[in-house]
Amino acid sequence: MTTIAFIRHGVTNWNLERRAQGQSNIPLNEEGILQAKAVGRRFEGEKWDAIYTSDLSRAKTTAEELGKVLQLEVTGDERLREVSFGDIEGTLEDERVERWGPNWKDLNLNIEKTEEVYKRAQSFMDEIRNRHEGQKVIVVSHGAFLNDLFKLLLGDQFEHCRLDNTSISIVEFLEDQCEMKLLNCSTHLSEIGEKEA
């Protein structure tokens, strides 16, 4: 059995502003760094075999905190980047409506197509499952990308959801079967106040 823990990166200022981030390389803010440390602590004492991360800094910084705890090298992979939001990156919803009208979602604004996201997600998953068969792997990535990845893996068993920053979702693979064992768990964040006080 192969186990993969998928983690969304810690929070950024653009997350808090609800600004479309996409592949813009926005760093974690102070709260995001605390979240990354908290998710790292959650894995203390556990045995994992590898950590992979999107090469965007918000994911990479999150992954590096896990690497410190687990004493593992972190491997960057651009296939794990967030969905590209094209022309809307850096904008707020009201700015998009002002610029392109209320039906902006129906326009071609160079947003990466789901089929393209599936292609890079499938490529990554095939490689990881071959390389780490029977092992436990951590993957740090982004909300929209992980939603598409889970849909690709689980089909109708999965409904898109808003993944919390540094939430953990665990999928187990046994031969051609995969099962979601944990989805969007962020209980570790409740400890930030007492640990960092």
Side-chain angles (χ1 to χ4, degrees), residues 37-163:
K37 291 179 185 297
V39 76
R41 283 194 298 269
R42 179 162 170 175
F43 284 82
E44 278 178 346
E46 296 187 16
K47 171 74 172 75
W48 290 79
D49 298 291
I51 302 173
Y52 292 86
T53 181
S54 157
D55 60 345
L56 298 177
S57 70
R58 58 192 185 271
K60 191 165 177 255
T61 303
T62 304
E64 285 167 351
E65 290 299 330
L66 289 153
K68 289 176 193 173
V69 169
L70 296 169
Q71 297 184 322
L72 289 171
E73 291 287 324
V74 172
T75 302
D77 194 313
E78 64 182 25
R79 289 174 295 182
L80 295 172
R81 283 184 178 187
E82 180 59 294
V83 176
S84 172
F85 295 150
D87 298 344
I88 75 165
E89 289 194 11
T91 66
L92 300 169
E93 173 73 22
D94 57 351
E95 294 171 341
R96 296 192 279 278
V97 171
E98 184 181 330
R99 194 174 305 178
W100 296 294
N103 298 320
W104 64 267
K105 289 182 181 175
D106 299 329
L107 302 176
N108 176 12
L109 297 173
N110 299 305
I111 297 169
E112 187 176 10
K113 293 178 173 52
T114 303
E115 298 73 33
E116 294 167 348
V117 180
Y118 282 175
K119 187 175 178 181
R120 60 185 169 98
Q122 188 69 63
S123 167
F124 174 80
M125 289 304 303
D126 288 346
E127 189 176 309
I128 292 311
R129 290 188 61 198
N130 285 329
R131 185 181 300 161
H132 296 285
E133 187 175 356
Q135 294 186 330
K136 294 171 67 178
V137 177
I138 294 172
V139 172
V140 183
S141 188
H142 307 265
F145 177 82
L146 289 174
N147 263 285
D148 284 347
L149 174 59
F150 295 158
K151 192 70 177 175
L152 175 68
L153 294 176
L154 298 158
D156 293 338
Q157 296 176 55
F158 178 75
E159 287 189 24
H160 280 251
C161 65
R162 190 186 185 288
L163 296 170

Side-chain angles (χ1 to χ4, degrees), residues 1 3 154 169-173 178-183:
M1 183 171 63
T3 301
L154 298 158
S169 302
I170 296 179
V171 179
E172 289 182 350
F173 298 86
C178 70
E179 184 180 354
M180 180 75 79
K181 305 300 283 189
L182 184 70
L183 176 63

Side-chain angles (χ1 to χ4, degrees), residues 9-58:
H9 62 80
V11 75
T12 70
N13 286 338
W14 278 22
N15 286 145
L16 296 178
E17 294 167 10
R18 303 192 69 76
R19 197 173 291 280
Q21 234 164 187
Q23 295 186 359
S24 298
N25 201 12
I26 308 304
L28 297 183
N29 61 18
E30 191 174 328
E31 180 186 1
I33 291 168
L34 293 180
Q35 290 175 340
K37 291 179 185 297
V39 76
R41 283 194 298 269
R42 179 162 170 175
F43 284 82
E44 278 178 346
E46 296 187 16
K47 171 74 172 75
W48 290 79
D49 298 291
I51 302 173
Y52 292 86
T53 181
S54 157
D55 60 345
L56 298 177
S57 70
R58 58 192 185 271

